[in-house]
Amino acid sequence: MAVAAAQKNREMFAIKKSYSIENGYPSRRRSLVDDARFETLVVKQTKQSVLEEARARANDSGLDSEFIQDGVPIGNGDNSPTVEDGTQQDETKNGQLADADIGDDASKTDEDYTLTEEEIILQNAASESPEAEQAIQQAALLLRMRDGMGSLARVLKTVDNYKGCVQHLETRPSQVTDVQFDALVKVSMSRNNLLQLIRSLRQSTAFAGVNLMTENISSKTPWFPRHASDLDNCNHLMTKFEPELDMNHPGFADKEYRERRKQIAEIAFAYKYGDPIPSISYKETENATWQRVFNTVLDLMPKHACREYKAAFTKLQEADIFVPHRIPQLEDVSNFLRKHTGFTLRPAAGLLTARDFLASLAFRVFQSTQYVRHANSPFHTPEPDCIHELLGHIPLLADPSFAQFSQEIGLASLGASDSEIEKLSTVYWFTVEFGLCKENHQLKAYGAALLSSIGELLHALSDKPELRPFEPASTSVQPYQDQEYQPIYYVAESFEDAKDKFRRWVSAMSRPFEVRFNPHTERVEVLDTVDKLETLIWQLNTEMLHLTNAVKKLKGTHFE
Ligand SMILES: C[C@H](O)[C@H](O)[C@H]1CNc2nc(N)[nH]c(=O)c2N1
Ligand SMILES: N[C@@H](Cc1ccc(O)cc1)C(=O)O
Ligand SMILES: [Fe+2]
């Protein structure tokens, strides 16, 4: 019960996957202004005010998380935040309704924004050229009329003023509180005027909502990061698991912890491509938490981790990076990875949106958190922390074949549709985060969230969860929850098998263009001209020549 309620609470605050919208990506995440940091802060403030009351009840005094879970009936009590509360907040804040898509309840959970996804697409399409701006657009508007049919006259007049043509008109009694009628108005007018029409209707108090609903707006290839430095714009957070905002977070009622978490997050927000990663002087308690987890992983790893993980782990120990008594510094880890696989790290302020997170992998960049889980829950925590990144992800990123595989996932995510991102991140979830594989007929873990959470590792290997064979097509559509131990895990025939299957599935994705990473320039190129392909073929031919020579030399044929 508490779990379901907490899930509801989290869903209410969930942010849809996105790139930074300020770069023109027509995402569902609404940007208020121009940077991820500001955007994240505004979203947090809104959520925070909803939670303040709840926290006051928890009394900020070291109550344990179980009490908070049961003591504050999240999502089902009279004091609990509801979806409607969230919407209302948006309304008072921006003077407009937040439910962009009619009939889609989930969208009502979207937070502050000024433009809907459709409007951003429209705006982008209009801004492509003066002709594009004047191009005639068909569109449907859904209007929520507070004061009855009288408002229709105003609508028709305004459409007329903007030289538009009404092609279809339909009304119905509204089911929305305080709204008498909904009207569906299909219009045809220039894109620019359509944008102005929407703005103008929104200014009227007669409408509780003015929503553009159109699917056939064509715009250029969406923005995606082309150079590793563009990742400075790909750090949007899913704030749902932060201790400030998640009542089930072990640090929710611990003010000192929240302060520390925030302080470390600042580093990530200030970080720019090319900077060395600032080192953190971890406190005794933080190092102690690391030590507890580290030692337990050392104990369990020989029996339960896959071979590749163990091999890389040993290398990290030999390099004096993995030691029991102190948390490794990200800069040292980054330099270590660079030497082994070309991967580097950049600091992340928390759980990133799947789109932003996956995009960085295309550049062999792993965005890593730097703060440490709460001392009270060393063996399982709801948000990724540096112990998860370090003990879970880093060893395999030092493995050349896994590193390449990670980059392929990242490349496949660039410019992918929302539903493809959803599938990619689901497969990522059940493999890279929670994957199990067979090794000599024994079950081994390779998933990072298993290797960093002893609690979940033991659960996964117990007889409690359901184990299914890994098959990307079905795994990619399996719904999952991300706050409790998983009820289902997917088992690959071998670690190699998991990578192969994932890889084959990824390459069959429907994106209409191919991309390639150029390691010399750290740039992703879209392979869309014959010139680019010819240059590439020439480069590959040169490499082929070297490889063939190498084989000849090894076989001694150069003496013949
Ligand atoms: C792609 C997928 O959603 C995945 O679980 C991501 C999401 N965002 C993340 N963000 C951070 N900081 N660390 C992670 O390991 C992840 N994992
Ligand atoms: N549960 C993981 C941390 C984690 C949380 C959320 C994630 O999406 C991934 C990892 C641990 O305790 O180590
Ligand atoms: Fe992770």
Side-chain angles (χ1 to χ4, degrees):
M1 178 59 223
V3 171
Q7 176 73 1
K8 193 176 164 202
N9 176 47
R10 280 170 168 159
E11 272 166 12
M12 160 190 168
F13 291 144
I15 297 163
K16 302 266 164 62
K17 297 155 187 66
S18 69
Y19 288 125
S20 343
I21 201 166
E22 60 271 23
N23 293 300
Y25 187 79
S27 90
R28 285 192 169 273
R29 171 98 189 255
R30 276 76 182 179
S31 170
L32 294 166
V33 273
D34 54 357
D35 74 56
R37 179 168 190 268
F38 185 89
E39 191 175 331
T40 301
L41 287 178
V42 172
V43 171
K44 279 171 74 169
Q45 272 162 19
T46 312
K47 296 172 184 173
Q48 230 145 9
S49 60
V50 178
L51 281 176
E52 233 152 54
E53 193 188 339
R55 181 171 294 116
R57 288 188 50 161
N59 209 16
D60 228 31
S61 59
L63 295 171
D64 70 33
S65 59
E66 226 166 78
F67 178 86
I68 295 164
Q69 227 173 53
D70 299 330
V72 181
I74 310 153
N76 66 354
D78 47 20
N79 67 329
S80 61
T82 63
V83 170
E84 278 70 34
D85 286 344
T87 309
Q88 233 118 56
Q89 282 226 347
D90 285 339
E91 198 173 7
T92 42
K93 210 169 163 90
N94 298 329
Q96 69 192 55
L97 207 71
D99 53 341
D101 309 315
I102 187 167
D104 177 3
D105 273 342
S107 72
K108 291 191 180 161
T109 64
D110 279 350
E111 52 285 287
D112 327 52
Y113 65 88
T114 48
L115 289 177
T116 64
E117 179 175 8
E118 287 73 18
E119 286 158 39
I120 299 218
I121 298 176
L122 176 64
Q123 209 167 50
N124 286 346
S127 65
E128 276 175 26
S129 66
E131 297 79 56
E133 189 179 275
Q134 290 313 317
I136 298 298
Q137 179 72 53
Q138 317 274 339
L141 292 171
L142 180 87
L143 308 170
R144 313 278 204 185
M145 302 189 293
R146 291 190 215 271
D147 318 319
M149 286 299 172
S151 310
L152 266 188
R154 180 199 297 260
V155 177
L156 299 177
K157 179 94 183 49
T158 322
V159 173
D160 199 43
N161 286 349
Y162 285 109
K163 306 197 169 43
C165 176
V166 173
Q167 297 182 321
H168 179 102
L169 181 62
E170 216 178 298
T171 60
R172 66 178 180 199
S174 183
Q175 292 180 352
V176 179
T177 334
D178 295 334
V179 173
Q180 287 199 18
F181 291 99
D182 298 334
L184 179 69
V185 189
K186 291 191 182 167
V187 295
S188 152
M189 62 172 71
S190 79
R191 286 170 173 167
N192 200 24
N193 284 2
L194 179 57
L195 283 163
Q196 291 191 37
L197 168 73
I198 294 168
R199 247 169 254 148
S200 154
L201 292 175
R202 287 232 170 103
Q203 275 165 9
S204 162
T205 49
F207 304 107
V210 176
N211 300 308
L212 172 65
M213 305 191 299
T214 186
E215 278 166 12
N216 57 354
I217 305 168
S218 65
S219 85
K220 295 181 288 203
T221 328
W223 183 91
F224 58 79
R226 300 296 176 107
H227 185 261
S229 60
D230 292 339
L231 297 175
D232 287 349
N233 293 317
C234 297
N235 46 10
H236 289 81
L237 297 181
M238 312 272 290
T239 51
K240 59 180 178 168
F241 286 135
E242 293 191 9
E244 299 273 333
L245 300 165
D246 176 11
M247 295 182 190
N248 286 343
H249 193 289
F252 181 72
D254 182 342
K255 196 163 180 189
E256 198 184 318
Y257 179 81
R258 296 201 310 271
E259 276 307 311
R260 176 74 171 152
R261 164 87 178 61
K262 216 191 244 167
Q263 193 190 358
I264 296 180
E266 288 298 317
I267 295 180
F269 280 130
Y271 183 86
K272 289 279 170 284
Y273 167 79
D275 293 350
I277 306 174
S279 71
I280 296 208
S281 148
Y282 287 110
K283 298 179 183 178
E284 263 324 296
T285 48
E286 292 169 329
N287 281 322
T289 304
W290 159 265
Q291 184 151 11
R292 280 184 78 183
V293 186
F294 185 84
N295 284 336
T296 325
V297 170
L298 270 189
D299 280 352
L300 295 176
M301 182 178 70
K303 189 153 183 272
H304 298 308
C306 74
R307 195 183 316 116
E308 291 79 356
Y309 177 89
K310 289 190 275 195
F313 198 101
T314 308
K315 285 192 190 138
L316 282 150
Q317 286 177 300
E318 285 164 1
D320 216 24
I321 290 175
F322 273 11
V323 290
H325 59 276
R326 64 165 154 77
I327 300 173
Q329 294 293 336
L330 293 190
E331 179 69 12
D332 296 339
V333 176
S334 186
N335 290 333
F336 173 90
L337 285 180
R338 193 202 305 275
K339 273 188 265 173
H340 285 84
T341 57
F343 251 88
T344 55
L345 301 183
R346 56 174 294 151
L351 178 70
L352 296 166
T353 62
R355 201 180 263 287
D356 285 5
F357 179 81
L358 293 174
S360 63
L361 298 179
F363 301 86
R364 293 211 177 204
V365 171
F366 185 85
Q367 304 217 38
S368 170
T369 49
Q370 222 173 353
Y371 54 82
V372 186
R373 61 192 60 190
H374 195 270
N376 285 354
S377 61
F379 300 137
H380 184 266
T381 174
E383 58 170 357
D385 70 330
C386 70
I387 297 185
H388 164 69
E389 324 282 20
L390 291 163
L391 293 178
H393 288 290
I394 298 306
L396 287 180
L397 288 172
D399 178 81
S401 149
F402 184 83
Q404 192 186 341
F405 159 76
S406 300
Q407 183 176 30
E408 284 168 31
I409 300 171
L411 287 166
S413 82
L414 296 178
S417 67
D418 278 357
S419 72
E420 283 170 336
I421 292 289
E422 187 74 46
K423 286 186 183 166
L424 265 179
S425 54
T426 303
V427 183
Y428 188 94
W429 181 263
F430 285 115
T431 55
V432 179
E433 294 290 359
F434 292 98
L436 293 170
C437 65
K438 292 182 198 162
E439 210 176 270
N440 303 327
H441 307 291
Q442 283 179 326
L443 210 52
K444 302 280 174 179
Y446 68 91
L450 295 177
L451 293 159
S452 70
S453 166
I454 289 86
E456 179 133 15
L457 177 65
L458 296 176
H459 163 79
L461 298 170
S462 74
D463 55 7
K464 286 187 205 118
E466 179 188 343
L467 301 185
R468 295 187 190 165
F470 172 58
E471 212 41 77
S474 53
T475 307
S476 64
V477 292
Q478 173 62 42
Y480 62 87
Q481 52 82 27
D482 52 6
Q483 52 170 337
E484 282 273 302
Y485 292 164
Q486 300 298 310
I488 304 169
Y489 297 94
Y490 285 88
V491 183
E493 281 309 306
S494 65
F495 185 48
E496 277 308 313
D497 180 56
K499 281 184 291 184
D500 279 355
K501 286 209 169 106
F502 197 163
R503 192 174 268 141
R504 245 174 288 140
W505 176 78
V506 160
S507 68
M509 276 174 56
S510 66
R511 191 180 50 184
F513 52 89
E514 273 296 331
V515 295
R516 181 174 182 275
F517 180 68
N518 180 337
H520 309 295
T521 57
E522 289 185 284
R523 207 166 273 289
V524 165
E525 293 158 3
V526 178
L527 299 178
D528 56 359
T529 67
V530 175
D531 269 5
K532 282 185 200 165
L533 286 168
E534 277 179 349
T535 313
L536 210 78
I537 290 168
W538 175 81
Q539 280 170 1
L540 289 178
N541 273 337
T542 314
E543 269 198 46
M544 256 333 259
L545 203 70
H546 286 299
L547 294 180
T548 323
N549 279 345
V551 172
K552 278 189 196 153
K553 286 181 187 176
L554 282 177
K555 285 185 174 168
T557 48
H558 58 300
F559 292 123
E560 283 167 15

